[in-house]
Every structure is written in structure tokens, then in C-alpha cells.
Amino acid sequence: MTMALERFESVRTSERLAEVGPAWTDLWRRSGALVFQSHAWISAWWASTPDRERRALAIVLAWRGESLVGVMPLATVRRKGLRVLEWAAKECADFGDALLAPGTDRDLVRRMWRHAGQAGGFDLAYLNRLLPGAAARALLDNPGGGIRLRLNHREEANWRVRGPWKSGAAWFDAQSKKTRQNYRRGQKFMGERGALAFRLLGPEEPLAPVLERLTTFKRAWLRAHGLASTAFYDEGSQALPAMVEVLRETGLLHAFVLECGGAVVAVSINFVQAGAMMAFVTTYDPAAERGSPGMVLMMDYIMWSIDHGLQTVDFLCGDEGFKGRFGTENLTLASLMGARTPQGAAAHFVDRAHHALRGRFGKPAAPVDTAPAAEAVS
């Protein structure tokens, strides 16, 4: 039996992105990949991203006959005069990776990457948030040709709660005395102001009011800490509702709320995949901060998850303090960078030199948006 010839395609238009939806969705379901690599997720991001004028799709598809066997969801963005190739939906996806049919050799990732390089349209490539088992790690110092990618100094943390607890109560009892006291103190403080209730939103409950509360809380928190808003929380942005709708339509959504006197004081938009509760967006009412509503809600959904047979609570990307306090496992998310043009090579060189100098003088690595070249990939 002769194997069908492999062919590659670059998806550049919204129309073609829509056309390949059924094949991509079928591949995603068969592969068991996370929602971040699904067609619905990438499409929702593309439809709701507020700055389309500086972006372009650069998705690579791999076909064998009429079967879609691989997807590399890529896009370009213009930053600081450079065209940067990155994961599509990077701003709202905690993990990046290619999508492969079950049983497919990871060498296909290298061939898709070679096609991306030949298609061009970018100066610098920056692929980040790679889990240890990511298929895209096959691109590291790729011997198969194409744009060479090297490990970049930017790493991110992925904290998870995983252990032998038989119940949520057993997990709670395993926490430090101080943690248990803080939880009960927060409950008591809020309970004095109204009946306190933790619950999972039902499938028929409207999400819009909860998301409005979430964005209001988040904007207030960002202002209080002197931080800039993001596309998720900007006034009038449809990005977060679009992504949450994908979670709802795929049946993955688990939205938890903490209510005090009938008013929502904390929200956690989560989803469940691969036996794990994944905490996508969590926030709380800054006006109720003395009661630590975010901490109380988080401990509640951890206990709920364990009681419902989930082996892992995944805090996804980020090294916020609370994640390290509760997490029992920490994975390192790697990033890869490589240049395609002289401009990209210059930016890559400056980025590495800047990092080396900071390390030489004992300074911590610069945040992504401070180094000259880093500004192009932040």
C-alpha cells in the first residue's frame, strides 16, 4: 500500500481558516491536545483581537491525501519595526505547541517549520511557553533545515497541585496551620457581611454578568497596582467572552464564583481537560480584599476538584506567589528564538548580548519588555 504524499499549506486568510475548521477540529479531538491548539480557540482569538492591522495569520497545515495530520498555529505581529513570528493566540494561550495526529512522528514538526521558513513574511521567530513534552521542542537546533531555533533565556513557570489526597478535606488538612487559619479567617470576615456561598455556575446560567464582574475587578486591581490593562480587560474588548464561549461550547468550562450576600466577590474561569482542573482566569473584588476572596475561592475549587476525582489542579502559566505556596509540582516552560533576516539576526544578537551582560554583572534577567530586542517579542 502506497502512503499518500505529504503536502503543506500556509493559511493566510480568515476565509481559509474557516474552511479548514472541520478537518482541524477532527484532528484536535483525535489528538487529545489542549483547547489552546483547537481551531475554535485560534478562530475566536483571530475574530476578537483588537489590533488586526499589525497581525497576519501564518498557520501551517500538513496533509496526507485528504487527511489533516499536522497543524502549526502561527501568526506574525509587527513590534518595534520587526515582523515577529509567534504562536497564534499567544496572548490568551498558556501553552504553545504544534498539533499532530496520533502516532505521527515528531519529524513532521520539523518539516512544517521548514515550510514556514520558506513561506517567509517574518524577521524573527519566538516560540514560547513550551511544556517539557511539547512536540515543538523537536525544533531545537533543528538538523533538518529551515530557520534555526535556539533556547532563549526567557523561561516561565507552570505550577500544579498534585498529590495522594483522597478528598478535598484531606488536602485542606495537609496545609499549614497558618494557611488553614487564613482560609477560615477570610470566610468569617466575609460571612459577617452576608451569607457566603461557593458554587459552580450551571450550564444554563448566563455568563455575561459574571464576565462583566470579572473584568471590572481586574481593571480595578490593575489600576491599584499601577499596571497596564491587556486586550482581555480593555473596555469593549470581546476577547475574553470569545474564549470563554469556546470553553462553554466544547463542554470544558467550569466557572466558579464566590458570593457574599448574593453578590459575586471572586470569579475563577477554569476548564477541565486530561484529568486536570485548569485555572484560566481568577480574580476578586478589591473592595473585599481583607477577606482574601481570591484565596478562599481558590482553596474551594481545589477541594472541589479533588472531591470530583481530578488528579491535578493546574495553575497554567505564571509564577505568582500564591501558585508557589500551593503548588506541589513546578514545570519550566521553555522558549525558542531564531532569525530569518538580517534585521532579525541583529535583534537576536542584541537580545542575547543584553542577557549575557546582565548575568555577568549579577543582575536578574530583564523583563520581556525592557531589553531592546526583547521589546520585539514581548
Side-chain angles (χ1 to χ4, degrees), residues 16 27 29 97 112 145 169 182 206 216 235 251 253 294 320 339 345 354 369 371-372:
R16 185 54 180 160
L27 172 60
R29 287 175 175 158
D97 204 3
M112 286 193 290
N182 287 341
T216 298
E235 190 74 37
L253 178 66
E320 295 87 345
H354 185 271
D369 61 353

Side-chain angles (χ1 to χ4, degrees), residues 255-268:
F256 295 100
V257 295
L258 188 66
E259 297 170 326
C260 181
V264 173
V265 293
V267 182
S268 193

Side-chain angles (χ1 to χ4, degrees), residues 349-372:
F349 173 80
V350 170
D351 179 67
R352 286 183 287 146
H354 185 271
H355 175 68
L357 284 172
R358 293 183 69 86
R360 180 180 176 184
F361 290 102
K363 297 180 181 179
V368 172
D369 61 353
T370 59

Side-chain angles (χ1 to χ4, degrees), residues 36 41 89-90 92-96 128-130 156 271 279-280 315-318 323 333:
F36 302 133
W41 193 265
K90 171 186 168 182
C92 50
D94 287 76
F95 306 132
N128 67 337
R129 296 182 175 176
L130 302 177
E156 297 179 76
F271 63 95
F280 183 51
F315 292 136
L316 300 180
C317 179
K323 296 181 179 181
L333 307 180

Side-chain angles (χ1 to χ4, degrees), residues 161 163-180 184 299 303 306 325-326 328:
V161 176
W165 310 287
K166 300 295 184 182
S167 66
W171 172 82
F172 182 85
D173 291 340
Q175 303 308 300
S176 69
K177 180 180 178 180
K178 181 179 180 181
T179 297
R180 299 195 305 272
R184 292 181 176 125
M299 293 182 70
M303 289 187 280
I306 296 170
R325 288 195 296 273
F326 287 94
T328 59

Side-chain angles (χ1 to χ4, degrees), residues 182-242:
N182 287 341
Y183 173 82
R184 292 181 176 125
R185 189 178 297 116
Q187 284 189 316
K188 183 175 183 296
F189 178 86
M190 288 183 285
E192 291 172 349
R193 286 152 177 75
L196 195 64
F198 159 79
R199 66 188 185 91
L200 173 68
L201 292 185
E204 302 305 319
E205 288 190 70
L207 289 169
V210 172
L211 294 181
E212 181 59 33
R213 292 283 282 174
L214 187 157
T215 52
T216 298
F217 295 161
K218 200 69 174 181
R219 288 179 199 139
W221 186 90
L222 290 167
R223 285 194 302 269
H225 290 79
L227 300 174
S229 183
T230 67
F232 257 19
Y233 310 115
D234 286 341
E235 190 74 37
S237 170
Q238 293 303 305
L240 181 60

